[in-house]
Amino acid sequence: MAATVEAGRRSGALDMKAVSAVLDSAVKAGVSDAVMAQMVSMAAGAFPVNAPQVASAAVRSYGTKVTEANVRNIVSAAVSVQPKPYASVSPICAAVTRALGHSPVAMTVPSIAVEVAAKTPDNPLQGEGVTTQTHGLIVNPGEDASAGALVMPGGIPVGGTPTSPAPVSNPSGN
């Protein structure tokens, strides 16, 4: 199946509808998480601008049987192939959250975002003088992170954990 995705991408015949159909077929066929990650990586790499749509299509492919592990796998795979992985975490996670709707798994996306962002190679929050979030939306350079909360340059939160501040945008988009 991965060869089909790659051949379609190279020929220009692969679009987002086709990507969704391939991902749906993969889930129905019971592919492993590793294979699904590879397919998401290839599709998100082929369509970097559409990486959020690829990730949300992959999540929707699982339907109501989607798990936190599936979401973590999909987000990590989509982010890993982006030209600017750290900056791509927020839009990919926002699209995944919208795809999950009111599912209990949607509540785990902010912590997944923090985890994935922390592992990106271009993470500006590594080292000294990082920008962190400690009280609500007040962000100051050099503060200690409250329960590992990360913020993007400019003070925009990437996500949160059950004990740290929530992201600026909630699942409803507010």
Side-chain angles (χ1 to χ4, degrees):
M1 201 170 300
T4 303
V5 172
E6 184 62 22
R9 183 188 70 79
R10 288 184 186 199
S11 70
L14 191 62
D15 61 5
M16 285 307 300
K17 260 188 187 176
V19 168
S20 293
V22 169
L23 294 171
D24 288 345
S25 296
V27 170
K28 287 178 185 171
V31 299
S32 69
D33 279 349
V35 171
M36 188 65 152
Q38 183 180 17
M39 293 174 66
V40 169
S41 291
M42 286 193 314
F47 304 105
V49 173
N50 294 335
Q53 291 85 354
V54 170
S56 65
V59 167
R60 280 193 301 275
S61 294
Y62 283 101
T64 58
K65 296 180 182 178
V66 68
T67 66
E68 181 179 348
N70 298 138
V71 173
R72 182 175 285 107
N73 185 45
I74 289 166
V75 169
S76 295
V79 166
S80 69
V81 295
Q82 296 306 300
K84 295 182 180 179
Y86 183 80
S88 70
V89 172
S90 184
I92 288 172
C93 286
V96 166
T97 301
R98 281 191 300 277
L100 290 168
H102 297 292
S103 160
V105 178
M107 303 292 272
T108 66
V109 176
S111 62
I112 291 170
V114 170
E115 180 183 316
V116 172
K119 294 177 183 176
T120 58
D122 63 338
N123 181 353
L125 303 177
Q126 297 173 349
E128 294 186 33
V130 299
T131 302
T132 58
Q133 176 179 346
T134 57
H135 305 291
L137 298 178
I138 299 171
V139 179
N140 296 307
E143 286 185 357
D144 292 329
S146 171
L150 301 175
V151 294
M152 295 179 72
I156 301 171
V158 170
T161 65
T163 59
S164 71
V168 169
S169 178
N170 64 23
S172 300
N174 299 325

